[in-house]
Amino acid sequence: NELAATAVQTLIDFPDSCPNPMYLHGGVGCGKTHLLEGLRDGLSRRQPNLQILALTSEEFTNLFTQAL
């Protein structure tokens, strides 16, 4: 969890220097959602005019399929 938290904090502090996209993977209850919410909140505070879209994997897949 410390590595994932460091990666998220680095992305907040230096958004142009991190790999894009960031991929979080883990079992149920590992804190993935909390990390993503922290990332969203941190980026929103640092860059208020940044537009952030949060989707479920199903919503993303449907939008991606429609775009094809």
Side-chain angles (χ1 to χ4, degrees), residues 22-44:
M22 178 182 287
Y23 181 74
L24 297 176
H25 175 74
V28 175
C30 290
K32 298 177 300 292
T33 301
H34 291 283
L35 282 171
L36 290 173
E37 289 173 350
L39 176 60
R40 179 196 63 212
D41 293 344
L43 287 174
S44 294

Side-chain angles (χ1 to χ4, degrees), residues 14-68:
F14 308 102
D16 296 331
S17 67
C18 290
N20 186 10
M22 178 182 287
Y23 181 74
L24 297 176
H25 175 74
V28 175
C30 290
K32 298 177 300 292
T33 301
H34 291 283
L35 282 171
L36 290 173
E37 289 173 350
L39 176 60
R40 179 196 63 212
D41 293 344
L43 287 174
S44 294
R45 270 186 252 122
R46 281 204 175 256
Q47 301 178 29
N49 48 342
L50 185 67
Q51 294 182 2
I52 299 173
L53 177 63
L55 300 171
T56 65
S57 57
E58 182 179 0
E59 291 170 329
F60 173 79
T61 302
N62 289 337
L63 289 171
F64 184 80
T65 304
Q66 289 172 3
L68 289 176

Side-chain angles (χ1 to χ4, degrees), residues 1-19:
N1 286 354
E2 191 173 323
L3 178 61
T6 300
V8 167
Q9 188 61 50
T10 302
L11 183 57
I12 291 169
D13 294 338
F14 308 102
D16 296 331
S17 67
C18 290

